Amino acid sequence: MIMLLPLGNIAYASDVDISYFGLLEKSSQRLVIDGVGMNYTFGALGANFTTQIASDTSLTTSFGAGYTPSHQVSFAGATFTGPFTGYYIGASTSTPLFELSDQTNLFIDTNLSYRNFFSKNLVGVKGNSTFTGSSDGVMSSFGLSAVARHQLTPLSAIYASYGVSKWELEANGEGVSNSGQLTASKLINAAGADPRWSIGYQWQEAGRSLALAMAHQSLQSATDNSIMSVQATVKFSF
């Protein structure tokens, strides 16, 4: 999927902070699991809702969606092209542990996320045959990370995190030739628990903030590959 750009934020209530995000995820190369391959790309635009659930713990829930009018997938020797739609749901918590120095703090973060990407209107080609098909995939994960945050200036900070994420990927595709005599299908089902790291930059002042992040999710439990992601989050008040 194409990347969808972040927009902005408006705070509607004093106890809930609402921000907009843009997310793009992409595998470092073609994923090959049990002899079946796929190119993983996911993008979404959405909103974060952050609130304090305890004196020192914040909870963020995220909802997003993405769409691309033309994306290419291949399975069973056929190459399919068509529109894809995706949905993203996430929840995360952040709790401070202790102060490493005057300007550096250590946090413990948890993260739960779910992505669904699908197309019901694919057109494919295999040899001299034309196919129609569909594809559906789900990527979910639950992670626990230690986060070190360093204050650069009163308004800006950088952070780095490292942890473990338990992930699961399910994807299937089906196609049938226009003659009805040939079929094409794909099924991927894989899971694991692998390292995940991220780095980021944050800038914030009264009513406005900007956060940029890059993350790396290893999939070494199932394949010699990984997923890289970039995310931007912006908020502002009128």
Side-chain angles (χ1 to χ4, degrees), residues 22 32 36 39 41 52 87 89-90 106 120 156 158 166 177 194 196-197 220-221 227 229 235-236:
V32 179
V36 181
N39 293 310
T41 305
Q52 294 294 125
Y87 297 105
I89 301 173
L106 186 66
K120 304 298 183 182
S156 64
I158 57 174
K166 181 177 175 60
S177 66
D194 294 301
R196 183 182 189 276
W197 60 259
Q220 63 188 27
S221 295
I227 293 175
S229 66
K235 67 176 183 180
F236 57 87

Side-chain angles (χ1 to χ4, degrees), residues 48-66:
N48 298 316
F49 302 83
T50 302
T51 187
Q52 294 294 125
I53 58 174
S55 60
D56 60 350
T57 301
S58 63
L59 169 67
T60 299
T61 53
S62 305
F63 303 93

Side-chain angles (χ1 to χ4, degrees), residues 10 18 33 36 54 58 74 77 87 96 100 105 119 132 141 176 179 182 207 219 223:
I10 179 169
I18 305 174
I33 300 173
V36 181
S58 63
S74 299
Y87 297 105
L100 296 174
N105 295 283
S119 177
T132 56
S141 65
V176 60
S179 66
L182 300 175
L219 305 178
T223 180

Side-chain angles (χ1 to χ4, degrees), residues 208-227:
R208 296 183 295 174
S209 70
L210 168 68
L212 304 173
M214 180 176 69
H216 175 275
Q217 172 65 62
S218 170
L219 305 178
Q220 63 188 27
S221 295
T223 180
D224 295 330
N225 211 326
S226 60
I227 293 175

